[in-house]
Amino acid sequence: MSNGKYVITQTNIDDAARLKDIFERRKKEAKSKGIKFTQETFGAKYDWSQGAVGQYLNGVIPLNLSAALKFAEGLNVSLDEISPSLAGNYG
């Protein structure tokens, strides 16, 4: 599948779904503690726009190793939890 700019594979779609699930869980955890956790606040930590974060979460932009490592760090999870395929190529 292609969105005009990127070729999106099933692996990319699966990675984005895992990433979005983890992100949403962290967002709920933060909210229950009274902490603001949004795409905008997350993106600011890595000099990304809210739009870029949203595009990764929705699979519009396929994850690359650099972005996946930043998400893993920021969400406090292993790379493998987000993208087993990238983790396999990394380690």
Side-chain angles (χ1 to χ4, degrees), residues 2-84:
S2 174
N3 65 10
K5 189 170 183 180
Y6 301 99
V7 173
I8 308 296
T9 66
Q10 186 61 48
T11 299
N12 300 137
I13 293 167
D14 294 344
D15 289 350
R18 279 188 294 275
L19 176 61
K20 189 170 189 174
D21 181 59
I22 294 165
F23 189 92
E24 291 300 322
R25 281 188 277 137
R26 292 294 185 262
K27 186 175 174 180
K28 286 179 185 176
E29 290 169 5
K31 185 176 181 180
S32 73
K33 296 175 184 176
I35 299 168
K36 184 177 179 182
F37 184 85
T38 65
Q39 292 178 14
E40 185 176 0
T41 59
F42 185 89
K45 183 175 180 177
Y46 297 101
D47 201 26
W48 292 340
S49 68
Q50 173 276 321
V53 174
Q55 289 180 358
Y56 281 121
L57 295 176
N58 291 305
V60 176
I61 301 173
L63 279 172
N64 57 49
L65 182 58
S66 176
L69 287 169
K70 289 175 183 175
F71 273 109
E73 175 190 339
L75 297 170
N76 197 31
V77 296
S78 69
L79 177 59
D80 188 58
E81 291 177 74
I82 295 171
S83 177

